[in-house]
Amino acid sequence: MKFSSYEEDFIGCVLMKRGLTDTCYGLFSTLANPTRLAILEKLRIQSMNVSTLAQVLNQEQSMISHNLKPLERCALIYSERSGKEKIYSLNKDTMEKIFKAVEDHANNHCPFGGMCADSK
Amino acid sequence: MKFSSYEEDFIGCVLMKRGLTDTCYGLFSTLANPTRLAILEKLRIQSMNVSTLAQVLNQEQSMISHNLKPLERCALIYSERSGKEKIYSLNKDTMEKIFKAVEDHANNHCPFGGMCADSK
DNA sequence: TCTTCATATGAAGAAAACTTCATAAGTATT
DNA sequence: AATACTTATGAAGTTTTCTTCATATGAAGA
């Protein structure tokens, strides 16, 4: 039986204490996707349901659902039913810290108005 | 002409100011790799050259070199020649913040001694 | 400059992740 | 329970990224 990194993340999370590298790998593979990042960016502004996300991001609903799954499993977002809809919201505790670290990094290493120096 | 995400990261970095999502994507795709994370974890302890990294991580030298490249391009690590060798070091400013955010997240969401609750 | 040690690069097969389409499952209303 | 609406899932083809091997480049000493 084989598992994807998402599944391994989940399994590892349930079965054993993991090292920092493993934890990071689970989180970062989830974060390393433009659609998921776009979802997070939208949810940063306000919580919303799946079809609104699909509409706002101009993507198919199944695409959004597929991508919400790993985000929720990693607890980067939360969800809450509201009638037929499911409202997703950002885990700001975690994500604001991460966004800030990335922004700081970009500011430090892409000095001239957001452009990175040619780093080789 | 087509570009990998690493290359696009680089090009995007040089050519234009990018949104947070793009910046994140560049960084996170670089971070979403077990070998690269293992490298960062080692460099967190101490700076070292390529062959020492290869030895410590029990990986081929070419594997290490291939993986150092995107890390350096993203400025997550620095390098400095020393004779024949090239010493790589961690960008602690950025990486300690990120490691801390991940550790905090794991503590909050994997309560019982590092195990995550079954988040479905 | 020849040799040796250290690191980097190219390319190709292998593996992993993504996108899409079709459809299933959950919820509420009638 | 039939319908409509919302969200989730499965599977297959496509694309992206990884790993490995062979080899090239760079640095230093004889």
Side-chain angles (χ1 to χ4, degrees), chain A residues 71-117:
Chain A
L71 288 171
E72 183 169 22
R73 179 169 44 232
C74 287
L76 297 175
I77 60 176
Y78 306 121
S79 73
E80 167 188 21
R81 267 232 170 254
S82 165
K84 300 180 196 174
E85 305 175 10
K86 205 164 164 188
I87 312 293
Y88 283 89
S89 58
L90 188 68
N91 175 346
K92 295 200 174 175
D93 280 354
T94 295
M95 287 311 304
E96 288 300 340
K97 279 189 229 162
I98 291 181
F99 281 143
K100 175 145 190 4
V102 171
E103 275 166 348
D104 288 353
H105 180 79
N107 288 338
N108 289 332
H109 297 279
C110 300
F112 307 109
M115 300 180 189
C116 288

Side-chain angles (χ1 to χ4, degrees), chain A residues 13 17 20-21 25 28 32 37 41 44 73-75 78 91 94 97-98 104-105 109-110 113 115-116 119, chain B residues 13 17 20-21 25 28 32 37 41 44 73-75 78 91 94 97-98 104-105 109-110 113 115-116 119:
Chain A
C13 208
K17 181 158 177 45
L20 183 56
T21 290
Y25 182 54
F28 294 142
L37 288 168
E41 207 167 38
R44 193 185 190 189
R73 179 169 44 232
C74 287
Y78 306 121
N91 175 346
T94 295
K97 279 189 229 162
I98 291 181
D104 288 353
H105 180 79
H109 297 279
C110 300
M115 300 180 189
C116 288
S119 55
Chain B
C13 207
K17 180 159 177 44
L20 182 54
T21 290
Y25 182 53
F28 294 142
L37 288 169
E41 208 168 37
R44 193 185 190 189
R73 179 167 45 229
C74 286
Y78 306 121
N91 175 345
T94 295
K97 280 190 227 161
I98 290 181
D104 288 353
H105 180 79
H109 297 279
C110 302
M115 301 181 188
C116 287
S119 54

